Amino acid sequence: MASWWQRDVIEAGKLPLMLCFLAFVVTFVLTRLITRMIRDGRGPFRNDVTAGGTHIHHSVPGIILLIIGALTAVGGPYQLGWRSFAAIAVGIGMSLVLDEFALILHLQDVYWSGEGQLSVEAVSLTAACLGLALAGFSPFGVQDVGNIELTLRLTASGVLIADGVLALICVLKGKYRTALFGLFLPPVGVIGALRLARPSSIWARHRYRGERLERATRRAADFDRHWAPIQTDWVDFIGGKPSQPNPPAQKQ
């Protein structure tokens, strides 16, 4: 255990990344626990964080922590203590911001609506990326590595990079859950990247027209009819079941 900690965490420079990952996950769990208690009217917490009568969403302190962490990382001393502090600040801030990702995207308070579930997907995808980066076999910074181990580390790093590219394509195609599972199961990422995009995705808006767009719409409807209930139950379990209707879209 001590040997693994020294070789693959300390020497590989992954301690800040580990702290960032832990801060990210713990903050999300605590945030969702507190917000669900507030919604149910239980516990000591109240939804009364205001400034001059304006409700302050927790993405605001999240942005402040992100700024503090970023400035510390780029302008502070290059010492492990300062880097660890920056990592914790970034992890907490990133979690608070992404937990309200849907609110920022729609510019409406959709936290407890169906559209607000996008925040849970964004957090899950980010946590998966951080976890993979933490568990990945870095080919750099580790001392006394033999040729065989170096080859394995380079191969694993190459697989992770390819996996990340496939996940990015899936995200552009609007397949967030496929991107998440594809990070752990590369064949899922390959299939998601090759198949048609969802009709409302960035990929479809820029590349699909006519018959191809109609095919994408039909496939998305068939997929949602079979799998949407299972996916919705899972997201509800993690983030809490929506209790508010989706607000009307704002006019541009």
Side-chain angles (χ1 to χ4, degrees):
M1 184 66 181
S3 176
W4 167 82
W5 177 262
Q6 182 64 32
R7 280 168 44 86
D8 292 287
V9 177
I10 301 300
E11 290 184 4
K14 288 188 175 182
L15 180 59
L17 181 60
M18 175 180 289
L19 293 173
C20 181
F21 174 74
L22 292 175
F24 182 88
V25 174
V26 171
T27 300
F28 174 72
V29 172
L30 292 177
T31 300
R32 281 285 164 168
L33 177 62
I34 292 173
T35 53
R36 289 168 81 163
M37 292 177 68
I38 291 174
R39 181 181 63 166
D40 296 339
R42 295 185 288 111
F45 305 103
R46 295 291 180 270
N47 194 20
D48 58 359
V49 181
T50 62
T54 301
H55 175 73
I56 300 177
H57 291 276
H58 50 264
S59 58
V60 175
I63 293 173
I64 294 173
L65 285 172
L66 274 175
I67 294 173
I68 293 174
L71 291 177
T72 302
V74 301
Y78 193 75
Q79 298 174 356
L80 185 58
W82 284 102
R83 292 174 59 216
S84 299
F85 168 78
I88 294 173
V90 168
I92 296 174
M94 187 165 49
S95 184
L96 292 174
V97 170
L98 289 180
D99 188 55
E100 293 195 319
F101 175 77
L103 181 150
I104 298 172
L105 180 65
H106 293 284
L107 294 179
Q108 299 181 77
D109 192 352
V110 295
Y111 194 84
W112 290 121
S113 71
E115 291 177 341
Q117 293 179 325
L118 181 61
S119 298
V120 179
E121 296 178 3
V123 169
S124 301
L125 184 59
T126 304
C129 292
L130 288 174
L132 282 175
L134 181 61
F137 297 97
S138 173
F140 309 107
V142 181
Q143 305 299 322
D144 301 324
V145 175
N147 291 333
I148 296 179
E149 184 176 350
L150 179 60
T151 301
L152 290 175
R153 287 176 179 271
L154 288 170
T155 302
S157 298
V159 170
L160 285 177
I161 293 173
D163 226 9
V165 172
L166 292 174
L168 177 61
I169 294 175
C170 290
V171 169
L172 293 176
K173 288 189 171 185
K175 304 176 181 181
Y176 304 107
R177 298 181 184 93
T178 302
L180 175 60
F181 288 108
L183 288 174
F184 298 93
L185 301 171
V188 174
V190 173
I191 294 173
L194 292 177
R195 290 177 65 85
L196 287 172
R198 296 188 68 85
S200 59
S201 66
I202 297 175
W203 188 284
R205 288 200 301 267
H206 287 83
R207 299 175 64 91
Y208 291 177
R209 297 291 185 276
E211 182 180 350
R212 199 172 192 187
L213 182 59
E214 293 177 359
R215 286 177 54 207
T217 302
R218 289 196 303 269
R219 284 196 179 183
D222 291 339
F223 181 88
D224 290 342
R225 185 166 54 252
H226 289 91
W227 296 103
I230 298 176
Q231 296 173 342
T232 301
D233 290 343
W234 173 248
V235 174
D236 289 348
F237 172 75
I238 297 177
K241 188 175 182 178
S243 57
Q244 298 175 2
N246 291 337
Q250 292 181 340
K251 295 182 179 181
Q252 301 295 327

